[in-house]
Every structure is written in structure tokens, then in C-alpha cells.
Amino acid sequence: MKAIALGVAVLLVIIPFWSVIATSLADEETIAASGGGMVLWPGRMSFEAYKAILSGGVVTRALAISIGITVVGTAFSLAATTGLAYWLSRRGVVGVRPMTMLVLGAVLFSPGLIPSYLVVKQLSLLDSWWSLVLPVMVNAFNVVVMRAFFQGLPRELFESAAIEGASSSATLIKIVLPLSKAVLAVVGLFYAVGYWNAFFNAMLYIQSTDKWPMSLVLRTYVVNQTTIGGEQVGAGAEVMPPQLPLQMAILVVALVPILVVYPFLQRHFAKGVMTGAVKG
């Protein structure tokens, strides 16, 4: 019974995803035969939709922007989160208690949309890619998770480092970080997914269409079903494919980067996600 339920759950996940891929590869005749809707088998496979969106134009530019924002943002966020969490995990350090209460308060209370927008505006970050990184660079929940992991490390390691005369930064880099691959992988994945899917902040802060990340392109041409014309694709498209394969190709391109990254982090995911759990 469990196997049947698991098989049904897997099919419910795989079939819609396969339908998106099949539709993106379908040619004009297959789409017309299906009444202009989604298909489960592409018939004669055509890569014209991918050739059109990846040969230049708005999708290629947005893909490069999203990759840049995700890589830079994740690196900045991991560095800031690791430093703050390590400081909060050390006992007897000045200012740890009030800062811990401030971080816990940030977990419980959100600053609100209007104050956040006003801060971004006052910092002259509107219509800047930094508006998608700096306001969300440190997530309080991720700080709490990483702090709990650091506190669970054996105290003898830190005492030995102190006896050897190692500074706090040397202890963090040479001892703590090599032992923290699991939590770094999980927190890094959380940040990367957040930056890659930064739709709402991009809609608020980015006005120039040439600065759109992939999430805004996805919303405009897939969710809102805005027509994709020749000016939105590159010169490599000899014939414009139907709109539906183009939209599904954009959706696939938006999904692939995270799907590619996840297998490399999966072996750390189970251990890292249980960080801070209560052990019986």
C-alpha cells in the first residue's frame, strides 16, 4: 500500500514536469493537433523554442543577470551569516546577548513592505541589482540554524585552538568551516533558491526591463502570458515557434539551474537540515 501511494505521489510530480518539457520540445503541428494546449509527447521534437530564447534577447540577458545575482548574493550571504552566527555562538563575548535577542526578534517580526521600500529608496538602490541582494543578505532564521550548529561543535576544539594561540578568525577558517560543510551546503542552497526566485523584490525595485532577472521574465511571459515577439528573442530564431513552446522553454530554463545544483548538495542536505533538532 505504501509503495502504491509513493508511486502515485511520484507520478503526480513527474507528469506535470514531463508535460512542460514535452510541450517545450513540440513542433507547431503537434501543438495544433492538441488544440493549442499542453502535450505529453512532443511528436517530432523541435528545439526551435530553446534556440530562439537562448540565442540572445530578453531571456538570455535575464538568465545571465539571475546567475550573477545568485552567485554574488549567495557568497555575500554565506559570509555574513557565518560570521554573525560564529560570533553569537561564542560564550563570554561582549554584545552577544543583545544581538542574539535582536536576531530572534527579526525571526518573529517583519519590518513591513513600506519601511523596506523607503530604506531601499533612501539608500539609492532603486533600479539597481544591489536592491535584490543587500536588503535580504542576512536571513535571521539561517543565522539561528548556523549558530545552533556551531554551538554543537566540541568545545575542546576551541580550547585547543586557544592554547595554540590561534585567533578567532583562524579558528573559524581552519577548524570550524571544514567541519560545517553540511550546514553551509543547506544554508547556501536556501539563499541560492531565494535569490534565484527573487520575484517580489525585483518587481518592487527594478524598473528597467534590461535589468530584469529571470523571475520577472517568467512572470511576464509565462504567468501573464505576454506575447513573445521577434524583439524579445535573438537573431538565431529563423522562424518564430508557437507561443506555448516558447513559454514552456522559458519555464524549463528557469528550473534547470537549481535542479543542476541540488544533486551536488543532496548528500549534505539531510544532515544539515536536522541541525538544531532535539535529540532524544
Side-chain angles (χ1 to χ4, degrees):
M1 189 64 184
K2 292 181 179 179
I4 295 175
L6 182 61
V8 171
V10 170
L11 287 176
L12 290 174
V13 173
I14 291 179
I15 290 177
F17 186 63
W18 169 252
S19 180
V20 169
I21 297 176
T23 304
S24 72
L25 294 172
D27 60 359
E28 190 170 358
E29 294 179 3
T30 305
I31 297 297
S34 68
M38 305 285 288
V39 300
L40 284 177
W41 190 255
R44 283 191 310 172
M45 286 198 304
S46 171
F47 292 91
E48 289 301 320
Y50 291 97
K51 188 183 298 183
I53 65 173
L54 295 178
S55 59
V58 63
V59 176
T60 306
R61 182 172 60 245
L63 186 61
I65 289 171
S66 286
I67 291 174
I69 290 173
T70 301
V71 171
V72 173
T74 302
F76 274 57
S77 293
L78 272 180
T81 301
T82 301
L84 180 57
Y86 178 69
W87 173 41
L88 297 180
S89 68
R90 298 298 91 214
R91 298 179 181 178
V93 179
V94 177
V96 165
R97 186 175 182 82
M99 182 58 70
T100 301
M101 298 303 296
L102 185 62
V103 170
L104 294 176
V107 174
L108 299 174
F109 303 103
S110 172
L113 178 60
I114 295 177
S116 299
Y117 182 85
L118 292 177
V119 169
V120 171
K121 183 178 179 180
Q122 290 298 319
L123 294 175
S124 300
L125 295 177
L126 289 180
D127 206 27
S128 167
W129 292 321
W130 287 111
S131 65
L132 305 181
V133 175
L134 298 181
V136 293
M137 190 169 67
V138 177
N139 182 282
F141 176 77
N142 291 337
V143 173
V144 172
V145 170
M146 195 170 286
R147 172 179 176 267
F149 183 90
F150 290 159
Q151 287 181 325
L153 294 176
R155 294 185 60 188
E156 291 78 9
L157 292 175
F158 301 98
E159 293 173 356
S160 299
I163 293 174
E164 293 293 331
S167 62
S168 296
S169 59
T171 303
L172 173 63
I173 295 172
K174 296 182 179 180
I175 297 178
V176 176
L177 292 184
L179 297 174
S180 307
K181 294 179 181 178
V183 71
L184 289 173
V186 172
V187 171
L189 182 61
F190 288 164
Y191 277 125
V193 172
Y195 283 118
W196 185 260
N197 296 328
F199 148 70
F200 191 65
N201 282 352
M203 186 177 65
L204 285 177
Y205 304 138
I206 304 297
Q207 286 87 37
S208 302
T209 56
D210 60 344
K211 293 183 179 180
W212 278 4
M214 199 66 196
S215 56
L216 275 187
V217 171
L218 194 65
R219 174 182 179 270
T220 302
Y221 297 109
V222 179
V223 178
N224 293 345
Q225 297 189 351
T226 302
T227 301
I228 305 171
E231 63 273 12
Q232 278 83 41
V233 300
E238 299 176 359
V239 180
M240 277 296 292
Q243 289 295 305
L244 188 58
L246 283 173
Q247 292 170 350
M248 294 304 102
I250 292 174
L251 183 56
V252 171
V253 169
L255 289 173
V256 163
I258 296 298
L259 294 179
V260 170
V261 170
Y262 179 78
F264 296 99
L265 304 179
Q266 191 272 338
R267 64 192 184 97
H268 298 296
F269 195 82
K271 180 180 177 182
V273 80
M274 293 299 292
T275 298
V278 177
K279 297 180 180 180

